[in-house]
Amino acid sequence: MAAEFSIKRRVSFAETDLASVMHFSNYYRYMEEVEHAFWRSAGACVIFSEGDGEISWPRVATACEYFAPARFEDELELKFKVENVGDRSVTYEVEFLRDEKRIALGRTTAVCCATAPGKFESISIPQNLRAILEGDAK
Amino acid sequence: MAAEFSIKRRVSFAETDLASVMHFSNYYRYMEEVEHAFWRSAGACVIFSEGDGEISWPRVATACEYFAPARFEDELELKFKVENVGDRSVTYEVEFLRDEKRIALGRTTAVCCATAPGKFESISIPQNLRAILEGDAK
Amino acid sequence: MAAEFSIKRRVSFAETDLASVMHFSNYYRYMEEVEHAFWRSAGACVIFSEGDGEISWPRVATACEYFAPARFEDELELKFKVENVGDRSVTYEVEFLRDEKRIALGRTTAVCCATAPGKFESISIPQNLRAILEGDAK
Amino acid sequence: MAAEFSIKRRVSFAETDLASVMHFSNYYRYMEEVEHAFWRSAGACVIFSEGDGEISWPRVATACEYFAPARFEDELELKFKVENVGDRSVTYEVEFLRDEKRIALGRTTAVCCATAPGKFESISIPQNLRAILEGDAK
């Protein structure tokens, strides 16, 4: 089992470039936005307070394939899907759709970390967060 | 043979996030900056006028692995290296170094296109640009 | 008479900086987002096709005052209000509210221009667009 | 007396928008970059450790006028000039020049604050930092 979730996102003017399309780096911001919206939808936050400290998810690998450009004011659907939940890391995929056609596909691997500002130490994913990622939370 | 090139780049305040490190999406902007500096160093431009039209290089795939965070005012070395030059596409790697230690590694595949605003049509890489990518230009 | 309009906008992670607040430059992106949403709400677009050409609105002056910081995942209300419509320019204000408290106040003056890529020539604001700005359109 | 300082900055591809010019919000990032380079040039940092705590400079007002667009790969000169040093705040101006012609003019007022993540308390500007701002440091 694995969680799935989606949001709509409209391409803003500042996200375009002189090739008249969305700059390729902004797909990575969108991938993070749907991830964070997913955590919110489960009543959590990507930065999760746990006792005295905080848990966050620094990225160890990200990737994106681009099949067709996105343009100013396009309304995209971002489909978030957890692919794998390991002991300390999670891999998820984000599909970018316009009018139900796939225009890009991203993948992120993030590590569960106990966090202080600028410092990260990997830990086993706590059971309550694992349940959310595995789609068992509700 | 393949071209190699490097620049220095200092992490700016606006590129950091509330985890006190450079936001992961900005590595992709740095990858593009060293690519464009490479073209400039060869007397060309990533947007190259050719007869009536223009040639540009939309991305079809990008990826990055992160080994250690970059912080505000870190001076990074960005090492650009062409990995493969196909008929219509090029793949290059960018190594991110701080104090000679690798902190991230990116890869981009871009397609040579005849370009009008918002439109792209793939073409064989012209010989003068191929020579630059293969490090034979000078 | 003058048009008024508002949207909600949630602060994303990539918009924060190492001071743990939204970077001050992003308020300007929000000002533009509510402006463009305003045009869309009137059935128009900030880039408006008019006969053979296009009309757009390059900025000649922008400003913002900051009263309290915005933080990650804050949901802000952006209240857009046209202040003045001249022959060739418009000035509008954007109020940033969190829980109905004003946290920032921005102002933009933009000039109506006939536009080609990278080129701008100021023109009198066409009557149909003026009606929208003056709140008389519907 | 007041400090003056300048740097060169080349417009990157990701900073342009579909109007084929630098997006107006990026001038604010440039204003911050030259400010931080100014502090570095004086052997300081915009985030200055002072005893147990840190001093930083949140903005209370920013503004920019635009006289001509900046384009991809333009090399701009950013001239930073301190206009006024108050008890707790500083106002500085940044002039944007291309080929010695002024294309934009920005102004920032920032407040000296004792800082913890996300928290700011205004303080009198310490004498060592005041000397830098007044151009008396060397």
Side-chain angles (χ1 to χ4, degrees), chain C residues 18-21 23-26 28-29 32 47 59-66 69 71 108 115-120, chain D residues 18-21 23-26 28-29 32 47 59-66 69 71 108 115-120:
Chain C
L18 66 80
S20 299
V21 299
H23 192 260
F24 78 97
S25 66
N26 289 320
Y28 290 97
R29 292 179 162 230
E32 190 174 63
I47 299 176
R59 278 90 247 277
V60 291
T62 59
C64 192
E65 295 171 274
Y66 312 90
R71 294 191 166 79
T108 294
T115 312
K119 294 185 183 166
F120 306 100
Chain D
L18 65 81
S20 300
V21 299
H23 190 260
F24 77 97
S25 65
N26 289 320
Y28 290 96
R29 291 178 163 231
E32 190 174 63
I47 299 176
R59 277 94 245 275
V60 292
T62 59
C64 193
E65 294 171 276
Y66 311 91
R71 294 191 166 79
T108 293
T115 312
K119 294 185 183 164
F120 306 100

Side-chain angles (χ1 to χ4, degrees), chain B residues 3-129:
Chain B
E4 292 193 32
F5 183 72
S6 75
I7 60 170
K8 305 270 189 176
R9 178 65 153 81
R10 193 182 294 276
V11 176
S12 74
F13 193 84
E15 291 166 345
T16 63
D17 60 35
L18 66 80
S20 298
V21 298
M22 180 156 83
H23 191 261
F24 78 96
S25 65
N26 290 320
Y27 291 78
Y28 290 97
R29 291 178 163 231
Y30 281 34
M31 286 163 61
E32 190 173 64
E33 287 184 26
V34 65
E35 173 193 2
H36 293 184
F38 160 73
W39 285 112
R40 278 198 303 278
S41 76
C45 178
V46 73
I47 299 177
F48 195 78
S49 296
E50 181 82 358
D52 288 345
E54 280 187 342
I55 286 172
S56 73
W57 300 85
R59 278 91 245 277
V60 291
T62 59
C64 193
E65 294 171 275
Y66 311 91
F67 309 116
R71 294 192 167 78
F72 176 50
E73 298 206 325
D74 278 354
E75 191 181 67
L76 305 184
E77 183 182 3
L78 312 180
K79 291 181 77 168
F80 171 88
K81 185 176 164 186
V82 173
E83 282 198 321
N84 187 61
V85 187
D87 176 46
R88 292 167 183 249
S89 70
V90 59
T91 297
Y92 66 83
E93 191 182 88
V94 175
E95 196 181 1
F96 295 74
L97 301 163
R98 182 181 49 211
D99 300 333
E100 302 186 0
K101 188 186 154 215
R102 178 189 282 196
I103 62 164
L105 181 64
R107 178 172 286 111
T108 293
T109 300
V111 174
C112 190
C113 284
T115 311
K119 295 186 184 165
F120 305 101
E121 186 182 320
S122 71
I123 58 170
S124 293
I125 300 173
Q127 187 50 40
N128 55 339
L129 302 183

Side-chain angles (χ1 to χ4, degrees), chain C residues 18-129:
Chain C
L18 66 80
S20 299
V21 299
M22 181 156 81
H23 192 260
F24 78 97
S25 66
N26 289 320
Y27 291 78
Y28 290 97
R29 292 179 162 230
Y30 281 34
M31 288 163 61
E32 190 174 63
E33 287 184 26
V34 66
E35 172 193 4
H36 292 184
F38 160 74
W39 286 112
R40 277 198 304 277
S41 75
C45 178
V46 73
I47 299 176
F48 196 79
S49 296
E50 180 82 358
D52 288 345
E54 281 186 341
I55 286 173
S56 72
W57 300 86
R59 278 90 247 277
V60 291
T62 59
C64 192
E65 295 171 274
Y66 312 90
F67 309 116
R71 294 191 166 79
F72 176 49
E73 298 207 324
D74 278 354
E75 192 182 66
L76 306 183
E77 185 182 2
L78 312 180
K79 291 182 80 170
F80 172 88
K81 185 177 164 185
V82 173
E83 283 198 321
N84 186 61
V85 187
D87 176 45
R88 293 167 183 249
S89 70
V90 59
T91 298
Y92 64 85
E93 191 182 87
V94 175
E95 197 181 1
F96 295 74
L97 301 164
R98 183 181 46 211
D99 300 333
E100 301 186 2
K101 190 186 153 215
R102 180 188 280 197
I103 63 165
L105 182 64
R107 179 172 284 112
T108 294
T109 300
V111 174
C112 190
C113 284
T115 312
K119 294 185 183 166
F120 306 100
E121 187 182 320
S122 72
I123 59 170
S124 294
I125 300 174
Q127 187 50 39
N128 55 338
L129 302 184

